[in-house]
Amino acid sequence: MCSKKPVCALRPRARKQPNKNACALIHQRTSGISSNDVGTLLRNNLKILRNIILQESAEFVKVWSKSSKSLISYENGRIYFENYRCCYNSHPTKPQRLYELPRRSKAEKIEDSLLCQCPLGTGLPRPSDQKPSLLVLTANNWLYRLSADTGEQLQKVYLASHFKFRCLGWDVSQETFFVKSIQNKQTPLARQAGLDVNVLMHLAVFRVFPLELIGMLELNKTVFGRTVVDVLLSQSVLAVSHSTKSVKLYSFEHIVSKFRTQELVLGQQCDVRGVTGTVGEAPFGIPVNIHITECPPVLFEVSYFENGIQIGGHPWHYIYTPNHKKHRGSHHICSIRNGALAVNGVQEMNCDSLESDWIFFHPDDSGRIIHVGPSTIKVLKIITEQGCDSQSEVVEDFSVTANRDHRALSQVTVTSSGRTVKRRFHQLDDDPEQETFRMLKYEDELDLLAVVDVTQSEDEGKARVRLHDNKSGEMMKIVPLKESWDVTYSHELYFDRDTIIHIEQERNNSFCCHVYKTSRGRGDREEE
């Protein structure tokens, strides 16, 4: 008779951490190295989920579809219908409704939104700040903070009464955001009176968790030039676009430190030029407290042909198309340090197609570049040798190609006089009868690239989602979509862990959302 072993003998003890200083332990914890760290558990769970999804026995089954007469939006497990009034949770086996807000008047229509995820490891003043929230901007210039799970109103801020705000955007994701007004155009009466409108638009900048005001600034033509047409805030850099196809970058931190006249606190009284009111309440709103009286130092300036510029990579590079007709259709990759063109830095897809190719920095923060054409996807990386004067080089990491019939087709034509004319017929690279890449998405938690290819057969388009390994480009799985893909209408596709969401515009000018879930069994589980 064998003796019963104690529990401690059946299960090994957790590995003890060696004695290290606080900095080393914090770095180890944030990196997810510790064996008993939450980050390690999450990473292991995601590896298991990835392996399950990529098994041959696992398939994506359409489990849910819902139509709407208005735009449908998706972000981080939440599907929004009726202009953010109805919210569904996509995480369950079939999406479930989280909440439905009361109907709003036209004046209270939601113009834009941002989903805020609470920070981990940071204590916040109010319990509601620790939960995800939805920031929404209404047509009557109110900024609301709603609970992302219940739709409950948590906070509201009135922006202004004398100009209209239209869109929201992240400066630093989940840290600071901006609210941008529409362009202040000169009215015919003002033009006849000889009055010149110098203020083009306004920008209000906030911190989140908790919601705090950084300041309100105006984009003035007398400061930035008569050709200024737009402004954007990203990574604490103010990017000002001009009608001359050029963009100039300025340090927003420098602008705040030099030109902010006073700090404003939401909900507190302030006096601005003899006018007293409560910041963020109607009708006072938020006054301009960042007065830019002279042009700040320009950090970076470049002229481009179209689509602006993109900045990223390791070390920092930018992608643009020079403003010259001989460079149209090409993308130039240059060092932001000295503006030097990288070796092999001119990237061209060399394709004949109705739609142009597109290029962007990889969202996985690897510093790589993704260049997508109708039949080819190239993942490029920037190589720089150590040394201040070394020139960077762009090399191909891997590429993905569509299945094409490359045989040259010949066509014989007989003229009216009986003369036979032979000519070669070349198909377009995005010919609907050929497999064509239409979309590319990156799933960061599973480290997979989701590529949508579409082939037109008879009267409908057949779409597939190809899952590729992000490191090697190897195709791991093909997921066919059941619904037809009409290339003449807009489409959006999201790949989120075990869920694929396809939002399409339909022929009757309505929209439909299709949800696919991973299943180990076969069969159709769709519910209309």
Side-chain angles (χ1 to χ4, degrees):
M1 182 176 177
C2 62
S3 60
K4 187 177 180 181
K5 294 183 178 181
V7 176
C8 59
L10 298 176
R11 184 175 61 189
R13 295 179 181 273
R15 180 171 59 92
K16 292 184 178 181
Q17 294 296 322
N19 292 328
K20 294 184 179 181
N21 59 42
C23 293
L25 290 174
I26 291 174
H27 173 72
Q28 198 174 63
R29 181 178 178 83
T30 55
S31 302
I33 298 174
S34 176
S35 63
N36 55 359
D37 191 274
V38 175
T40 301
L41 179 62
L42 177 61
R43 280 198 309 176
N44 290 336
N45 288 342
L46 291 175
K47 287 180 181 179
I48 294 172
L49 179 61
R50 173 187 162 116
N51 292 335
I52 291 175
I53 289 174
L54 297 180
Q55 286 179 352
E56 291 186 10
S57 60
E59 62 178 353
F60 280 87
V61 177
K62 187 196 286 193
V63 298
W64 192 77
S65 292
K66 183 176 175 60
S67 297
S68 173
K69 293 182 179 179
S70 58
L71 284 170
I72 304 172
S73 303
Y74 173 82
E75 188 170 2
N76 198 25
R78 294 172 175 86
I79 311 172
Y80 297 98
F81 293 87
E82 298 185 31
N83 198 31
Y84 300 96
R85 196 176 71 85
C86 297
C87 178
Y88 285 77
N89 183 6
S90 67
H91 288 147
T93 306
K94 293 179 182 178
Q96 298 176 359
R97 190 168 68 182
L98 283 175
Y99 61 83
E100 182 175 333
L101 300 176
R103 295 188 181 275
R104 294 175 178 266
S105 64
K106 189 175 181 180
E108 298 175 309
K109 175 189 173 185
I110 295 177
E111 299 280 4
D112 203 357
S113 73
L114 286 178
L115 183 63
C116 302
Q117 300 290 342
C118 57
L120 299 177
T122 302
L124 297 173
R126 291 172 294 190
S128 63
D129 293 334
Q130 297 289 165
K131 298 181 179 180
S133 58
L134 184 71
L135 292 170
V136 297
L137 173 66
T138 62
N140 54 355
N141 280 354
W142 280 96
L143 177 69
Y144 290 94
R145 190 168 70 89
L146 309 177
S147 168
D149 296 326
T150 65
E152 176 190 359
Q153 179 181 307
L154 304 176
Q155 201 170 355
K156 65 177 183 177
V157 176
Y158 186 66
L159 299 172
S161 57
H162 47 284
F163 41 85
K164 179 177 175 55
F165 285 90
R166 179 59 59 84
C167 66
L168 297 168
W170 286 113
D171 170 24
V172 180
S173 181
Q174 307 302 327
E175 293 184 16
T176 56
F177 70 96
F178 63 88
V179 193
K180 187 167 69 171
S181 73
I182 62 175
Q183 292 188 8
N184 187 16
K185 296 183 179 180
Q186 191 177 31
T187 63
L189 291 176
R191 193 179 298 111
Q192 290 177 3
L195 299 177
D196 200 2
V197 178
N198 292 322
V199 178
L200 181 68
M201 59 177 58
H202 290 79
L203 208 68
V205 186
F206 296 85
R207 294 187 186 93
V208 289
F209 304 118
L211 188 63
E212 296 177 347
L213 175 67
I214 295 176
M216 174 86 75
L217 63 90
E218 58 186 21
L219 192 68
N220 200 310
K221 292 182 180 180
T222 59
V223 174
F224 294 99
R226 310 301 302 175
T227 58
V228 61
V229 292
D230 201 3
V231 65
L232 187 68
L233 186 61
S234 177
Q235 301 299 317
S236 297
V237 172
L238 192 73
V240 180
S241 301
H242 294 260
S243 59
T244 54
K245 295 292 185 181
S246 66
V247 63
K248 297 179 181 180
L249 306 184
Y250 306 90
S251 168
F252 184 67
E253 293 179 357
H254 171 78
I255 290 173
V256 172
S257 63
K258 184 174 182 179
F259 299 108
R260 186 166 66 176
T261 56
Q262 60 178 319
E263 291 190 26
L264 301 177
V265 179
L266 296 174
Q268 292 189 6
Q269 290 242 338
C270 76
D271 182 276
V272 179
R273 298 178 182 177
V275 180
T276 304
T278 303
V279 180
E281 292 188 4
F284 189 72
I286 300 174
V288 175
N289 67 329
I290 302 177
H291 296 273
I292 307 176
T293 55
E294 60 184 43
C295 190
V298 178
L299 300 177
F300 178 76
E301 180 180 0
V302 66
S303 297
Y304 59 91
F305 169 64
E306 58 184 7
N307 300 328
I309 66 168
Q310 300 179 64
I311 298 177
H314 303 303
W316 290 104
H317 280 66
Y318 64 96
I319 305 172
Y320 80 114
T321 299
N323 193 11
H324 196 283
K325 61 181 181 180
K326 71 176 182 179
H327 296 301
R328 294 180 183 178
S330 65
H331 307 279
H332 291 226
I333 304 170
C334 304
S335 170
I336 203 170
R337 178 174 57 85
N338 55 14
L341 181 68
V343 177
N344 196 32
V346 179
Q347 292 293 318
E348 297 178 286
M349 194 55 73
N350 295 323
C351 57
D352 297 322
S353 59
L354 297 175
E355 298 182 8
S356 60
D357 55 311
W358 69 97
I359 190 169
F360 56 95
F361 285 101
H362 201 308
D364 68 350
D365 294 330
S366 64
R368 295 182 295 174
I369 298 170
I370 299 179
H371 191 187
V372 184
S375 61
T376 305
I377 298 174
K378 295 181 180 179
V379 177
L380 313 169
K381 59 183 179 181
I382 301 172
I383 298 178
T384 304
E385 296 181 359
Q386 292 183 352
C388 297
D389 299 327
S390 60
Q391 187 178 12
S392 56
E393 181 182 2
V394 178
V395 298
E396 184 177 303
D397 195 11
F398 64 83
S399 64
V400 176
T401 56
N403 296 322
R404 292 293 183 91
D405 184 2
H406 295 285
R407 292 175 299 175
L409 302 177
S410 62
Q411 190 174 31
V412 178
T413 303
V414 180
T415 65
S416 58
S417 62
R419 184 168 60 92
T420 302
V421 178
K422 287 187 177 182
R423 63 181 176 88
R424 298 182 65 85
F425 174 75
H426 296 280
Q427 286 183 318
L428 291 172
D429 287 277
D430 58 353
D431 187 282
E433 295 184 358
Q434 296 275 359
E435 185 178 284
T436 303
F437 295 139
R438 296 288 177 180
M439 202 172 293
L440 184 146
K441 298 289 183 178
Y442 173 59
E443 216 301 330
D444 57 340
E445 294 180 305
L446 303 182
D447 204 27
L448 292 172
L449 293 173
V451 180
V452 178
D453 68 61
V454 180
T455 305
Q456 189 78 20
S457 66
E458 297 179 355
D459 295 332
E460 62 177 1
K462 296 293 185 181
R464 307 183 308 171
V465 181
R466 301 162 42 141
L467 304 183
H468 291 260
D469 180 75
N470 183 47
K471 296 293 190 297
S472 65
E474 178 187 358
M475 186 167 68
M476 313 297 291
K477 197 180 191 70
I478 294 179
V479 180
L481 300 183
K482 292 187 62 178
E483 62 276 2
S484 175
W485 187 294
D486 192 336
V487 296
T488 59
Y489 293 91
S490 64
H491 297 262
E492 282 292 340
L493 186 125
Y494 303 91
F495 179 33
D496 191 352
R497 292 191 179 182
D498 64 337
T499 307
I500 291 177
I501 295 177
H502 175 209
I503 300 174
E504 63 170 338
Q505 182 183 8
E506 298 180 321
R507 296 185 180 183
N508 57 1
N509 209 25
S510 62
F511 299 86
C512 190
C513 176
H514 309 278
V515 178
Y516 291 76
K517 287 283 185 178
T518 304
S519 173
R520 300 294 297 275
R522 297 185 178 276
D524 186 1
R525 300 185 183 180
E526 179 182 354
E527 178 180 293
E528 297 290 348

